[in-house]
């Protein structure tokens, strides 16, 4: 099986990070409008999670931090140097770790699951895999000319 | 630094970061599981059930339901009262499903402290939660976590804070600052209930187009009795 080029990984990271921005922005906007995200399959999981105190950190909805993290991840996809590779890995690692923690909180503390949070966790998990692969395979490689992501 | 050296260094840093991240997540989970995170709400029960029960029903201060609903059912309750707790789990959910969700009635919770002075602090905390649209969530979750009457739990700061968190009160600092100011309102509604002749909880009154003012219901023992009263009032 042929190894994907760094450009392919960059494009995949950019696509998923853009999706992540959309998901996190939806949650943040719903919160800013004093509402909660609507679970597509019905049920009250999204409202329960959104209304829980776990949804805010220092008075700021954690989805706002998600938007920032996804935006930074998106930015790393536009560069093909070691700084971008390593920064992407660290951002995705942090996002993945926090997603694991939040999923634990949903399941065992809030006892409700928000589909949008779960979607973000899945996106962050895939992004972590892609960023880790990018770093492991391409770290130390000569700086490529900027890629269109 | 040469390419291979730089690669080796980056991968070492990445491995270190991954190890730190794993450790951080494990520590967070252990701290959270132990309930010592940020207020200790681990022993609070029923939040999911209450969230499901109240899902989609408007809450404004201590009123549950459409503010424009033609009929207003007024419950005078004491948060330490076990009968009120049983009533909130066994009788009121049916009214919420059949009447409140349809917008035909709204329910207003008012404090009537009869169990003891600790009920005042609890009632004030509920009112402060109501200022953030979580009053009914607070009351229903409190009921599901009642302790022994006047045993010190009902106005315990940590307990009330945990209930507020579980109810979804977002600005706990604001809630904490406001609850002291709500004591007077608890006493006012208790006096109002006494003036109406109520001396037990829960006690109900109703207002609607057909009641010509407030009509006392006392203690309707079933959802059917309440539904009849709502129908007559509307």
């Amino acid at each position: 099986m042929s190894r994907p080029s760094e450009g392919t990984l960059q494009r995949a990271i950019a696509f998923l990070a853009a999706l992540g921005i959309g998901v996190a922005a939806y949650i943040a906007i719903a919160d800013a409008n004093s509402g909660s995200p609507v679970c597509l399959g019905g049920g009250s999981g999204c409202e329960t999670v959104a209304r829980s105190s776990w949804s805010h950190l220092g008075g700021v909805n954690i989805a706002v931090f998600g938007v920032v993290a996804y935006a930074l991840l998106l930015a790393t996809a536009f560069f093909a140097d070691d700084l971008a590779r390593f920064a992407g890995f660290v951002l995705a690692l942090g996002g993945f770790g926090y997603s694991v923690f939040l999923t634990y909180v949903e399941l065992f503390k809030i006892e409700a699951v928000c589909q949008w949070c779960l979607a973000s966790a899945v996106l962050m998990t895939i992004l972590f895999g892609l960023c880790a692969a990018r770093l492991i395979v391409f770290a130390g490689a000569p700086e490529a000319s900027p890629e269109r992501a | 630094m040469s390419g291979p050296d730089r690669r080796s260094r980056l991968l070492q840093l990445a491995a270190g970061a991954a190890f730190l991240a794993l450790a951080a997540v494990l520590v967070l989970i252990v701290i959270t599981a132990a309930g010592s995170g940020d207020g200790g709400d681990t022993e609070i029960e029923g939040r999911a059930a209450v969230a499901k029960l109240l899902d989609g029903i408007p809450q404004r201060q201590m009123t549950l339901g459409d503010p424009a609903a033609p009929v207003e059912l007024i419950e005078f309750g004491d948060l330490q009262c076990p009968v009120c707790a049983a009533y909130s789990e066994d009788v009121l959910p049916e009214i919420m499903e059949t009447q409140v969700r349809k917008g035909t009635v709204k329910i207003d919770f008012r404090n009537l402290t009869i169990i003891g002075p600790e009920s005042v602090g609890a009632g004030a905390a509920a009112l402060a939660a109501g200022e953030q649209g979580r009053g009914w969530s607070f009351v229903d979750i409190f009921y599901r976590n009642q302790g022994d009457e006047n045993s010190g739990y009902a106005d315990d700061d940590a307990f009330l804070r945990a209930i507020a968190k579980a109810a979804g009160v977002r600005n706990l600092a604001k809630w904490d600052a406001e609850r002291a100011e709500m004591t007077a309102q608890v006493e006012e509604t208790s006096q109002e209930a006494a003036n109406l002749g109520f001396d037990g909880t829960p006690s109900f009154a109703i207002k609607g187009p057909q009641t010509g003012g407030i009509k006392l219901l006392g203690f309707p023992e079933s959802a059917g009795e309440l539904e009849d009263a709502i129908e007559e009032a509307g």
Side-chain angles (χ1 to χ4, degrees):
Chain A
M1 198 170 72
S2 64
R3 197 175 68 178
S5 69
E6 186 170 19
T8 304
L9 287 176
Q10 285 174 264
R11 281 187 286 276
I13 289 167
F15 176 71
L16 293 172
L19 273 182
I21 290 173
V23 170
Y26 169 64
I27 298 172
I29 290 167
D31 175 74
N33 291 331
S34 301
S36 56
V38 177
C39 276
L40 297 179
S44 58
C46 293
E47 182 175 9
T48 304
V49 173
R51 289 289 187 188
S52 80
S53 54
W54 296 98
S55 67
H56 287 68
L57 201 61
V60 179
N61 191 293
I62 54 172
V64 173
F65 298 112
V67 172
V68 173
Y70 282 118
L72 290 172
L73 269 169
L74 179 64
T76 66
F78 285 89
F79 300 92
D81 55 23
D82 278 341
L83 178 61
R85 292 169 192 134
F86 187 70
F89 172 80
V90 171
L91 280 166
L93 174 67
F96 170 64
Y98 200 59
S99 294
V100 169
F101 171 67
L102 289 179
T103 304
Y104 160 80
V105 167
E106 281 186 69
L107 292 174
F108 297 103
K109 304 296 286 185
I110 306 173
E111 297 168 6
V113 173
C114 168
Q115 295 165 0
W116 293 97
C117 308
L118 204 56
S120 177
V122 169
L123 284 173
M124 202 49 104
T125 302
I126 299 171
L127 278 166
F128 172 62
L130 292 173
C131 289
R134 184 185 180 200
L135 182 72
I136 290 167
V137 175
F138 297 102
E143 190 173 331
S145 57
E147 285 264 1
R148 278 188 57 123
Chain B
M1 195 183 290
S2 67
D5 285 348
R6 194 171 57 192
R7 173 182 167 76
S8 170
R9 182 77 181 136
L10 277 174
L11 292 180
Q12 280 177 3
L13 281 173
F19 175 77
L20 284 177
L22 177 66
V25 170
L26 287 176
V27 167
L28 270 176
I29 288 176
V30 168
I31 289 174
T32 307
S36 54
D38 54 349
D41 57 350
T42 50
E43 293 173 10
I44 299 304
E45 295 174 359
R47 86 189 75 189
V50 169
K52 188 175 178 187
L53 177 68
L54 303 179
D55 180 35
I57 304 178
Q59 292 188 50
R60 190 164 176 265
Q61 294 183 310
M62 297 309 293
T63 302
L64 181 75
D66 183 351
V71 177
E72 180 181 13
L73 184 64
I74 302 162
E75 176 189 0
F76 288 95
D78 183 319
L79 289 178
Q80 286 198 85
C81 155
V83 180
C84 301
Y87 207 87
S88 82
E89 283 198 59
D90 300 336
V91 178
L92 288 181
E94 191 174 330
I95 301 300
M96 291 173 190
E97 286 304 317
T98 58
Q99 305 283 342
V100 178
R101 276 192 194 283
K102 283 197 301 188
T104 53
V105 67
K106 57 189 172 191
I107 313 179
D108 191 28
F109 178 89
R110 297 182 190 176
N111 287 284
L112 166 51
T113 55
I114 57 163
I115 304 287
E118 290 169 24
S119 300
V120 176
L127 294 176
E131 293 299 304
Q132 296 186 45
R134 311 308 296 164
W136 269 83
S137 302
F138 186 99
V139 167
D140 272 11
I141 293 175
F142 190 109
Y143 278 151
R144 285 163 165 78
N145 290 274
Q146 278 182 339
D148 293 333
E149 293 176 9
N150 297 321
S151 61
Y153 83 94
D155 61 354
D156 177 76
D157 284 344
F159 175 74
L160 292 174
R161 190 177 178 84
I163 296 288
K165 280 185 68 181
V169 172
R170 290 187 176 180
N171 190 337
L172 287 169
K174 179 174 179 284
W175 167 82
D176 205 24
E178 288 181 346
R179 65 192 172 105
E181 300 165 10
M182 298 294 177
T183 306
Q185 197 175 324
V186 174
E187 287 161 359
E188 277 173 26
T189 54
S190 293
Q191 188 58 51
E192 178 192 8
N195 293 343
L196 291 171
F198 291 144
D199 57 5
T201 52
S203 290
F204 288 84
I206 197 165
K207 281 197 286 190
Q210 305 301 321
T211 59
I214 194 165
K215 179 184 175 187
L216 308 186
L217 299 178
F219 178 54
E221 291 189 5
S222 67
E225 280 185 49
L226 273 177
E227 282 175 331
D228 290 345
I230 291 165
E231 194 174 330
E232 287 172 19

